[in-house]
Amino acid sequence: MATLLHIDSSLFPQEASVSRDVAASFRKTWEAEHPGGTVIYRDLADAPIPHLDGQAAAAGFVAPEDRTPEQAAAFALREELISELERADAVLIGAPMYNFTIPSTLKAWLDQVIVVGRTTGSDTPSAAGKPATVVASRGGGYGPGTPRESFEFVLTYLDKVLGEGGFKLDVEFIVPELTLAETTPGMEELIDLAKASRTQAHEAAESRAKALAANIAA
């Protein structure tokens, strides 16, 4: 059965979160294509992953058979999260921009999952080649040529850590922009563009889910 790893990191519920809403379109389409499949779901706002501590970090550099009981216990959560990534056929991540970068909860998940020599740091990381879709919503415009282009650290960072510089996943970004236009004074003239961006994001999510599902056996 096909397995999707779905991670949400928005602080807000779906009705108030564009990243959750667009990711939900992907998941709904995926599940329609794989009704008997499995979805591993992590809501990092509802159930935050603890920050990586020294004991768990050190355990990542020790062979499993050589770990102390304390190191083995500290590594248990990392093993659980890594195994979820490794057994998934596809990965879906909702990553809204907060203060120019990713939510701290998503960074905590990444810190737990990044293990040099296993998930990263080799020619063939354990999840290499898996398709990953990132819904990277943002309140303003940060694309090429915009005044705040240099403030964009979501795609810049995730492209490296999820892609060739880290897990070597096959990453595609879906980027609904201007999400604050309808609620922020001074952005009124951008409301139509914001609505169009959101519509395009939903369409891209549905198209991406359908295409990936067709290439992954049920």
Side-chain angles (χ1 to χ4, degrees):
M1 294 295 180
T3 299
L4 173 68
L5 173 60
H6 177 189
I7 297 169
D8 272 326
S9 60
S10 172
L11 293 172
F12 305 105
Q14 184 176 331
E15 60 270 19
S17 167
V18 175
S19 68
R20 285 182 185 270
D21 197 41
V22 173
S25 287
F26 179 105
R27 178 170 168 175
K28 181 178 179 181
T29 302
W30 172 277
E31 290 180 316
E33 297 293 319
H34 289 300
T38 299
V39 176
I40 303 168
Y41 183 54
R42 289 276 179 181
D43 186 334
L44 301 183
D46 182 60
I49 301 298
H51 288 293
L52 184 66
D53 63 22
Q55 191 79 269
F61 295 95
V62 179
E65 63 273 15
D66 296 329
R67 289 174 189 151
T68 66
E70 292 77 16
Q71 287 175 329
F75 197 79
L77 174 61
R78 301 190 75 187
E79 182 64 44
E80 179 182 353
L81 298 172
I82 292 166
S83 295
E84 290 175 353
L85 173 64
E86 291 174 340
R87 73 173 186 265
D89 295 295
V91 180
L92 171 64
I93 299 174
M97 177 188 279
Y98 290 161
N99 301 316
F100 309 123
T101 188
I102 63 173
S104 61
T105 52
L106 181 55
K107 180 60 164 60
W109 178 83
L110 286 165
D111 286 342
Q112 295 282 4
V113 173
I114 293 170
V115 174
V116 176
R118 181 172 174 180
T119 59
T120 189
S122 70
D123 292 334
T124 55
S126 57
K130 295 179 187 290
T133 305
V134 180
V135 180
S137 60
R138 49 209 197 186
Y142 295 81
T146 61
R148 288 202 166 189
E149 177 183 357
S150 65
F151 288 74
E152 199 292 306
F153 299 104
V154 175
L155 276 62
T156 305
Y157 172 66
L158 291 179
D159 184 54
K160 297 297 186 291
V161 73
L162 298 177
E164 285 303 308
F167 297 160
K168 295 189 179 182
L169 304 176
D170 178 13
V171 185
E172 180 171 309
F173 291 96
I174 297 172
V175 188
E177 291 195 307
L178 307 172
T179 62
L180 295 177
E182 294 188 64
T183 59
T184 303
M187 294 184 71
E188 292 86 357
E189 65 182 26
L190 301 174
I191 290 175
D192 287 345
L193 288 175
K195 290 180 177 178
S197 180
R198 186 166 182 168
T199 297
Q200 291 167 5
H202 278 286
E203 292 171 350
E206 292 166 4
S207 176
R208 170 78 165 168
K210 188 169 290 187
L212 290 181
N215 290 327
I216 296 173

